[in-house]
Amino acid sequence: MTEPAAGGTGAGRRFVINMVGAVGLVFGFIPMLRYLLDLDLFAFTVAPYEWLELEGAARLLPPAMVLVAALVVAYVLERGAPKT
């Protein structure tokens, strides 16, 4: 049997991947959903973008960029994750 290299089980990396995914959902997907469906329930998720004062479809650009960036970071971290 082989042992994990240098005491790492990948739990820390998995936690970071999950946190990046959570940020992508909370500040990427949910704000887009809030803008599209006009739900006041998710108003807290658009707070980082309100200072931009964007109108119309341009409101979707910052959350979309956050979602894409989170997906890319999670993918890169996942590709480097050890297979267990």
Side-chain angles (χ1 to χ4, degrees):
M1 274 180 84
T2 61
E3 295 182 22
T9 61
R13 182 178 292 229
R14 180 68 49 207
F15 177 76
V16 171
I17 292 170
N18 288 337
M19 287 298 101
V20 167
V23 167
L25 285 175
V26 171
F27 295 108
F29 180 73
I30 293 177
M32 289 192 298
L33 193 65
R34 187 226 190 266
Y35 287 139
L36 292 174
L37 301 178
D38 197 27
L39 299 172
D40 289 333
L41 177 66
F42 300 129
F44 71 95
T45 63
V46 296
Y49 314 121
E50 287 182 354
W51 65 274
L52 295 170
E53 299 178 2
L54 298 174
E55 297 292 328
R59 295 184 303 171
L60 296 173
L61 290 176
M65 290 188 314
V66 169
L67 183 61
V68 169
L71 288 171
V72 168
V73 169
Y75 177 76
V76 168
L77 288 173
E78 183 69 31
R79 293 281 297 176
K83 306 287 188 244
T84 56

